[in-house]
Amino acid sequence: MKKTVTKALMTLALIGAPLMAQAEKIAVVDMAAIFEQLPQREKVAKTLQSEFADREAGLKKKQQELRTMLETQQRDAAIMSKDQQTELQRKMESLRSDIQLKGKALNEDFRRRSGEEQNKLLKTVLDAVNKLAEKEQFDIVLPRQSVVYVKPTSDISSKVVEALTKGN
C-alpha cells in the first residue's frame, strides 16, 4: 500500500513539474495612477482650456452684465417707472435664460471634448502597456482594481509612465 501511494505521489510530482515550469507571467497596471502621472495630461488640459476660453469669457461677460442689471434694479427701483422696471426685468430674464442655455451647451461640449481627449490618452496608455507586456513577455496584464493582492514587483505602472514620458 505504501509503495502504491509513493508511486502515485511521484507520478503527480512528475506530471506537475512541467505545468509549474509553464506558469504564466502576470503583471498589473494601476490605470488611475498612470493617468495622474502622465505629462500629456497637462498638455490636454491646456489645449481644452484654450479651446473653450473664448466661450467661457463670453459667458462670464454676460454674467457680469446680469449682475450690473441686478445692481441697477436694486439701486434705482424707487425712482424707476413701472414700465422701466418691467423692461429691465424682461431683459434680466432673457439674459438669465441665455446664460443658462450657453452655460449648459458649454459644459456639454467641454465634457464631450474632454472625453475624446481622454480616449486618445487611453489608447496611448494601452499601446504602451501592450508594448511593455510584449517586451517583458507577460502573458497577462490585469487592472490593479481587479486584484486583491499583488507583489510590488508585478506592478508595471511606473514602467508604463516612464515609457510614455520618454516617448513624449
Side-chain angles (χ1 to χ4, degrees), residues 12-142:
L12 284 175
L14 290 173
I15 292 173
L19 293 177
M20 294 299 261
Q22 292 181 349
E24 293 182 354
K25 192 171 176 187
I26 299 173
V28 298
V29 290
D30 188 342
M31 295 299 275
I34 291 171
F35 273 101
E36 284 180 23
Q37 297 173 31
L38 279 179
Q40 294 94 327
R41 198 178 106 220
E42 290 179 27
K43 182 181 173 186
V44 167
K46 287 179 183 177
T47 301
L48 288 174
Q49 188 174 9
S50 67
E51 186 176 322
F52 288 95
D54 291 341
R55 288 175 62 188
E56 195 172 326
L59 193 59
K60 285 182 181 179
K61 184 178 177 184
K62 287 185 180 282
Q63 289 171 336
Q64 182 58 42
E65 188 178 332
L66 181 61
R67 278 192 285 274
T68 303
M69 285 180 172
L70 282 168
E71 290 170 2
T72 301
Q73 181 188 35
Q74 290 173 349
R75 184 185 62 232
D76 299 341
I79 58 172
M80 292 174 83
S81 69
K82 285 282 187 195
D83 290 341
Q84 289 173 325
Q85 286 179 1
T86 303
E87 181 66 26
L88 184 60
Q89 191 67 33
R90 284 183 183 149
K91 284 181 182 178
M92 288 184 344
E93 288 301 319
S94 173
L95 193 55
R96 261 192 209 108
S97 296
D98 192 36
I99 289 170
Q100 284 179 345
L101 184 65
K102 288 185 179 184
K104 187 176 179 181
L106 177 65
N107 286 336
E108 287 175 5
D109 291 347
F110 184 82
R111 217 179 355 254
R112 180 187 51 79
R113 282 287 295 127
S114 180
E116 290 172 1
E117 292 299 323
Q118 283 185 353
N119 285 338
K120 288 178 188 177
L121 277 180
L122 178 63
K123 184 180 179 335
T124 304
V125 169
L126 290 176
D127 288 345
V129 169
N130 287 335
K131 285 178 185 174
L132 187 63
E134 287 176 14
K135 178 183 171 189
E136 296 194 12
Q137 298 179 341
F138 287 108
D139 297 315
I140 299 173
V141 179
L142 300 170

